[in-house]
Amino acid sequence: MPNPIFSLLDVERSYELRGSGWFRAPSRQLKALDGVRLEVQRGDTLALVGESGSGKSTLIRLMLGLEPASDGRVLYGQRDLAQLDAEAKKRFAREVAFIYQNARGSMNPRMRIEDILAEPIRLHQLCVEREIPARLESLLLRVGLPAGLLQRFPSELSGGQIRRIAIARALASEPEVIMADESVAGLDVSVQAQVLNLLRDLCRESGITLVFITHDLGVASYLCEKIAVLYLGRIVEQGPTDAILNTPRHPYTRALLQAFPRFDMPLKASLSGEIPSPVNLPKGCRFAGRCPQVQAACRETDPALTALDAGRQVACLFPVAIA
Ligand SMILES: Nc1ncnc2c1ncn2[C@@H]1O[C@H](COP(=O)(O)OP(=O)(O)OP(=O)(O)O)[C@@H](O)[C@H]1O
Ligand SMILES: [Mg+2]
């Protein structure tokens, strides 16, 4: 295997929940990420899938270097994100672009699209000033928008257009990696499909590495060649999209697949039992309380993510048999 572009080595992220009330309840630790191991190869398109609260956004914040890991290491290439010097940080900011969940909210409403798109180009000094207009036009062309939009303000664009501008802004810095958090949620299905097509084609054509967060296995399978399934702060299964969809080996992945009837439906597991609180994780496997095939050992031993078959890893003591 060539050198991964990102490596997460047993990454943990805890948040301190401060006690409230006059009696000052003791503070407690919430483990948003608990031993995440992940490698992203150059050119990968990887979906991070999981229910609300599983730690997807936290994971992306750590990979963007916006927050430090409480334990473990996040490597970009060979370098620890926590130890980048100022120059390496600047390069990282150019090479790794982020598309925010709320595309409109991430743009200054008083700036014209022109200036919003030119900002990363100027910041990273990617061309001389007089070449900027041509660059902006070609960026808009790449995301399928007319050059006439450059003079508009964000509030004058539709939901689909603003998503395309967000993609154009991400592309403006000529990134190696694009990370996106649910960047099609809230769009109607046909617009969603167009934006997904665009993102998929751009990544394929230019070999950009994509890490895409979604609740929706349909979106994940459409856009990405690999899937990592998160449950309560841990990756429980990861591998090639086809393998995950056709022969899920973790009972949680299987339950998610059984519960996903439509392309545009959010993930809803038809699982019994409660999701444990990330403040009080149970001993043993974190999925044991909801697992249809739980055995006594599962309540004692916390299973590590282990290689199973080609490119697939599963954290389960008794992986689902392939029929
Ligand atoms: N700054 C914070 N302080 C305390 N707890 C936090 C903080 N950020 C996240 N959490 C908690 O960490 C866990 C993971 O949150 P995260 O936002 O990463 O989930 P998510 O998978 O992105 O969910 P969603 O699909 O709803 O966006 C949750 O239990 C959340 O409440
Ligand atoms: Mg989130």
Side-chain angles (χ1 to χ4, degrees):
M1 268 287 165
N3 283 339
I5 192 159
F6 274 101
S7 316
L8 281 78
L9 309 173
D10 295 317
V11 165
E12 305 206 350
R13 176 68 188 159
S14 325
Y15 295 107
E16 186 127 337
L17 298 180
R18 246 166 272 146
S20 57
W22 61 269
F23 52 86
R24 285 261 180 145
S27 63
R28 295 164 303 161
Q29 294 277 324
L30 179 150
K31 276 205 164 172
L33 295 176
D34 183 22
V36 170
R37 276 186 234 164
L38 178 68
E39 280 191 352
V40 182
Q41 304 294 336
R42 213 167 273 276
D44 268 357
T45 48
L46 170 74
L48 300 174
V49 179
E51 288 169 283
S52 192
S54 55
K56 305 180 294 296
S57 298
T58 306
L59 187 54
I60 286 249
R61 285 201 300 276
L62 263 61
M63 290 173 78
L64 286 164
L66 300 174
E67 278 181 35
S70 314
D71 203 355
R73 303 205 304 155
V74 182
L75 305 184
Y76 176 63
Q78 314 274 15
R79 306 179 73 172
D80 194 321
L81 272 193
Q83 285 160 12
L84 297 186
D85 56 30
E87 196 181 323
K89 271 189 188 153
K90 199 170 170 206
R91 227 184 67 208
F92 179 80
R94 186 187 74 64
E95 291 177 357
V96 183
F98 182 53
I99 302 176
Y100 288 87
Q101 192 157 15
N102 176 358
R104 199 183 295 278
S106 72
M107 293 176 199
N108 183 339
R110 282 181 288 277
M111 274 168 81
R112 291 183 198 276
I113 301 303
E114 178 176 57
D115 297 317
I116 290 174
L117 295 181
E119 203 171 42
I121 299 175
R122 291 195 177 110
L123 180 71
H124 299 295
Q125 297 170 340
L126 298 176
C127 68
V128 293
E129 195 62 30
R130 70 184 144 75
E131 286 171 6
I132 286 183
R135 278 219 178 206
L136 299 186
E137 280 185 27
S138 90
L139 273 175
L140 282 194
L141 200 67
R142 274 178 91 185
V143 299
L145 291 173
L149 294 189
L150 286 172
Q151 297 306 317
R152 301 230 194 128
F153 291 97
S155 60
E156 296 168 341
L157 301 186
S158 72
Q161 288 173 329
I162 208 86
R163 257 43 165 240
R164 285 170 191 263
I165 295 292
I167 295 174
R169 185 176 56 177
L171 291 172
S173 66
E174 299 173 353
E176 314 254 328
V177 185
I178 290 184
M179 302 206 191
D181 196 342
E182 296 268 18
S183 51
V184 291
L187 292 178
D188 66 50
V189 182
S190 65
V191 180
Q192 196 180 77
Q194 288 168 13
V195 175
L196 287 176
N197 273 335
L198 172 68
L199 207 50
R200 193 172 72 159
D201 294 347
L202 286 169
C203 290
R204 284 204 181 146
E205 282 159 18
S206 41
I208 293 175
T209 308
L210 177 71
V211 181
F212 191 88
I213 289 187
T214 177
H215 287 105
D216 189 325
L217 269 172
V219 168
S221 62
Y222 184 75
L223 193 62
C224 296
E225 279 156 14
K226 295 185 182 173
I227 291 181
V229 180
L230 271 107
Y231 185 73
L232 271 176
R234 172 110 27 114
I235 292 174
V236 294
E237 178 160 12
Q238 60 172 324
T241 299
D242 288 348
I244 301 269
L245 295 189
N246 295 327
T247 53
R249 305 295 305 276
H250 196 286
Y252 178 62
T253 314
R254 188 176 59 171
L256 290 183
L257 281 163
Q258 285 165 350
F260 116 89
R262 278 176 44 202
F263 180 73
D264 59 326
M265 290 279 286
L267 278 179
K268 277 210 176 52
S270 56
L271 290 163
S272 59
E274 290 284 303
I275 305 187
S277 152
V279 180
N280 256 323
L281 282 169
K283 186 177 163 207
C285 173
R286 62 200 59 215
F287 186 57
R290 297 168 87 193
C291 183
Q293 55 184 60
V294 60
Q295 303 194 27
C298 304
R299 301 197 191 277
E300 297 299 323
T301 308
D302 187 5
L305 193 62
T306 312
L308 257 200
D309 40 59
R312 173 137 44 162
Q313 297 177 302
V314 178
C316 178
L317 296 180
F318 307 100
V320 178
I322 296 178

